[in-house]
């Protein structure tokens, strides 16, 4: 058995010893989620395993998760965010990665093979633990925390700053926000520019403001290597991109955000910034077909001017450490990384529903490619039309309800006789 952090102080569990203590350091810019296990559930798991004829490795943890910092705060343990080397020396016996990334497992195999499910969730077990601790503050614990680390309080605390950027600094005009459904799974796709995730933050803020929904953007794992940015992206709803994570978000009825051009779209040289990269290399259409979810195309102009890339420096260190294809040279970057206050224009198009396609069609390369390039085509047409109306990058309006007419999607399900 691989047991999660069993809530018995003094047994050598570093997380539990910090929860039981008065003070603890955390790694600056990181806040991993953890799971804990009530002692009675740990004992019951051992008895169940001893009586079972199943073999192999079985993870056992209380259901749900909780961010480490919130667990420490509820335990009445004072914390200090420290640089990684110093925090590592204070925790002792842990690698840097163990201090930065999630301590979570799936107990699905224990449930299916041994019929074992802990009686207490992570939050319930922790509440019992901190209630009995002097200085514990169980009232700070919520019933449920987001699996991936989304923190509504953190998101609300940034609201005023997001509003400033949205309404004053970039003066974002929008059109078609009503095309975003009130509920249910959908895939929100847009063109990615500016080589920093600022456009994702503005999409998040716009949709949260106008539709009261949080976009769960799928992000590349290399972004989580960067302290502070890791914490920020996780707490505002970012999720590491994978088919499994996307499927979980879909089943939860979330609005899934994707940038089909990938990271290279954000590094598009300024002269080519209005030209979309090939969408067919992205998995967003395959996911949409498998999930039966509509695709919401969102073309944008204006965000490529916040850091217009004029030159580049190829660097193996940048590629390895940051996951960037190269180090961009842009006005104000890298010497003073302050984005320019260009004016943005965001047009939310009507959802593209893949009626008639079945999950089996997700394996049809031609169908997936054709739908991908159809979405790319209608977004490119709108980008070209908006750009033709723009007179200046810092002011003016281009959105007036005259989006180009969208052609029909000429596809047939393989099951219905299509190729």
């Amino acid at each position: 058995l691989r047991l999660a952090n069993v809530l018995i102080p003094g047994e050598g569990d570093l997380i539990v010893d910090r929860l039981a203590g008065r003070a603890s350091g955390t790694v600056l810019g990181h806040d991993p989620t953890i799971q804990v296990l009530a002692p009675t559930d740990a004992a019951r798991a051992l008895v169940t395993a001893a009586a079972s004829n199943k073999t192999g490795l079985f993870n056992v943890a209380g259901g749900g998760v909780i961010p480490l910092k919130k667990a420490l705060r509820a335990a009445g343990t004072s914390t200090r965010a420290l640089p990684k080397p110093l925090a590592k020396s204070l925790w002792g016996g842990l690698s840097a990665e163990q201090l930065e990334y999630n301590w979570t497992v799936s107990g699905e195999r224990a449930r299916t093979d041994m019929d074992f499910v802990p009686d207490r969730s992570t939050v319930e077990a922790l509440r019992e633990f901190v209630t009995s601790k002097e200085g514990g503050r169980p009232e700070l614990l919520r019933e449920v925390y987001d699996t991936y680390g989304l923190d509504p309080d953190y998101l609300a605390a940034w609201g005023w700053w997001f509003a400033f950027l949205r309404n004053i600094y970039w003066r974002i005009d929008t059109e078609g926000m009503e095309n975003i459904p009130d509920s249910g799974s959908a895939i929100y796709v847009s063109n990615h520019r500016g080589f920093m995730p600022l456009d994702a933050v503005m999409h998040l803020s716009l949709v949260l403001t106008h539709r009261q929904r949080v976009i769960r953007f799928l992000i590349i794992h290399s972004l989580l290597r960067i302290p502070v940015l890791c914490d920020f992206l996780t707490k505002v709803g970012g999720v590491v991109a994978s088919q499994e994570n996307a499927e979980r978000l879909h089943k939860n009825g979330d609005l899934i955000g994707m940038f089909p051009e990938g990271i290279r779209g954000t590094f598009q040289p300024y002269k080519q910034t209005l030209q979309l990269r090939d969408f067919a290399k992205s998995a967003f259409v395959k996911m949409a077909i498998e999930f039966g979810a509509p695709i919401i195309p969102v073309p944008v102009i204006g965000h490529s001017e916040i850091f217009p890339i004029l030159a580049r420096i190829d660097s193996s260190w940048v590629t390895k450490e940051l996951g960037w294809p190269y180090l961009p040279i842009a006005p104000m970057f890298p010497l003073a990384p302050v984005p320019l206050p260009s004016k943005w224009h965001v047009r939310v198009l009507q959802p593209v529903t893949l009626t008639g396609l079945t999950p089996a069609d997700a394996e049809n390369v031609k169908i997936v490619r054709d739908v991908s390039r159809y979405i790319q085509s209608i977004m490119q047409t709108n980008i070209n039309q908006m750009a033709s109306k723009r007179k200046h990058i810092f002011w003016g309006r281009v959105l007036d309800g005259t989006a180009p007419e969208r052609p029909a999607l000429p596809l047939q399900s393989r099951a219905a006789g299509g190729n």
Side-chain angles (χ1 to χ4, degrees):
L1 296 184
R2 287 175 171 170
L3 302 180
N5 306 285
V6 183
L7 291 169
I8 305 176
E11 291 293 315
D13 188 298
L14 296 172
I15 291 284
V16 176
D17 287 347
R18 266 58 182 186
L19 291 170
R22 294 185 177 182
S24 176
T26 58
V27 177
L28 181 66
H30 293 273
D31 187 14
T33 56
I34 64 170
Q35 292 166 309
V36 297
L37 193 61
T40 53
D41 281 326
R44 195 164 58 85
L46 294 170
V47 171
T48 302
S52 172
N53 61 359
K54 300 293 183 179
T55 60
L57 297 174
F58 297 85
N59 299 319
V60 180
V65 302
I66 184 171
L68 176 60
K69 292 179 182 177
K70 289 188 180 295
L72 290 168
R73 193 172 298 122
T77 304
S78 62
T79 61
R80 292 290 182 274
L82 304 171
K84 181 165 55 178
L86 183 54
K88 182 181 176 182
S89 68
L90 291 178
W91 279 71
L94 293 179
S95 68
E97 288 74 18
Q98 287 174 304
L99 289 171
E100 295 171 308
Y101 304 118
N102 294 347
W103 291 49
T104 55
V105 297
S106 169
E108 181 63 18
R109 190 178 182 198
R111 185 187 70 80
T112 57
D113 287 9
M114 295 197 306
D115 195 28
F116 179 83
V117 177
D119 290 331
R120 292 171 179 79
S121 68
T122 284
V123 172
E124 290 168 343
L126 185 62
R127 180 176 287 111
E128 288 184 3
F129 179 81
V130 302
T131 298
S132 64
K133 179 191 173 184
E134 182 180 356
R137 304 179 64 189
E139 70 277 4
L140 297 181
L141 294 172
R142 294 203 300 262
E143 292 301 319
V144 177
Y145 292 86
D146 182 75
T147 301
Y148 300 102
L150 170 65
D151 187 339
D153 295 333
Y154 185 91
L155 194 54
W158 277 92
W160 69 271
W161 179 239
F162 292 167
F164 166 77
L165 292 174
R166 189 180 71 243
N167 298 323
I168 298 175
Y169 197 78
W170 287 313
R171 307 167 306 286
I172 300 177
D173 279 344
T174 63
E175 181 177 278
M177 295 300 294
E178 68 279 2
N179 290 324
I180 299 172
D182 292 330
S183 61
S185 174
I187 298 180
Y188 183 104
V189 299
S190 187
N191 48 315
H192 202 11
R193 295 294 183 270
F195 74 82
M196 287 188 178
L198 293 169
D199 53 353
V201 172
M202 289 299 96
H203 283 294
L204 171 75
S205 180
L206 284 167
V207 174
L208 184 59
T209 300
H210 291 280
R211 304 299 289 168
Q212 292 74 54
R213 299 194 67 179
V214 176
I215 304 178
R216 306 307 301 267
F217 275 105
L218 299 182
I219 60 177
I220 58 174
H221 68 276
S222 61
L223 291 175
L224 303 185
R225 299 177 190 168
I226 306 171
V228 181
L229 184 60
C230 171
D231 202 22
F232 175 81
L233 292 177
T234 301
K235 291 184 183 300
V236 300
V239 177
V240 174
S242 75
Q243 177 71 24
E244 184 178 47
N245 285 341
E247 187 172 353
R248 288 177 180 173
L249 293 172
H250 163 68
K251 289 180 178 178
N252 196 44
D254 282 307
L255 185 61
I256 304 170
M258 296 184 69
F259 294 112
E261 297 171 285
I263 190 170
R264 289 193 172 273
T266 71
F267 285 79
Q268 195 89 317
Y270 187 64
K271 289 183 179 180
Q272 304 167 18
T273 194
L274 294 177
Q275 185 63 44
L276 296 175
R277 294 178 61 87
D278 189 2
F279 278 21
K281 297 179 180 179
S282 173
F284 77 101
V285 168
K286 188 174 186 292
M287 291 179 181
I289 296 173
E290 288 181 351
F291 302 158
I295 299 171
I296 305 172
V298 186
V300 182
I301 64 170
H303 54 346
S304 57
E305 282 80 14
I306 66 173
F307 285 117
I309 298 176
L310 306 179
R312 59 187 279 180
I313 298 175
D314 292 317
S315 167
S316 58
W317 183 90
V318 168
T319 301
K320 179 181 178 181
E321 296 299 323
L322 301 181
W324 294 3
Y326 53 80
L327 181 67
I329 302 299
M332 306 297 285
F333 187 91
L335 298 179
V338 178
L340 297 177
S342 58
K343 182 175 176 62
W344 298 19
H345 311 269
V346 178
R347 174 178 281 164
V348 182
L349 302 179
Q350 292 184 353
V352 176
T353 56
L354 305 179
T355 305
L357 297 183
T358 69
D361 292 314
E363 303 304 321
N364 186 313
V365 175
K366 183 179 185 302
I367 288 178
V368 171
R369 184 187 64 236
D370 289 349
V371 176
S372 299
R373 290 181 174 163
Y374 171 79
I375 301 295
Q376 179 179 343
S377 174
I378 61 177
M379 286 183 61
Q380 186 68 69
T381 299
N382 277 270
I383 288 171
N384 294 343
Q385 190 247 16
M386 290 190 290
S388 70
K389 292 186 173 187
R390 185 172 63 166
K391 305 302 181 184
H392 202 282
I393 65 172
F394 292 109
W395 58 78
R397 297 181 64 87
V398 303
L399 300 175
D400 56 6
T402 59
E405 185 175 350
R406 188 168 81 195
L409 177 60
L411 282 178
Q412 231 183 343
S413 170
R414 180 172 60 188
N419 295 323

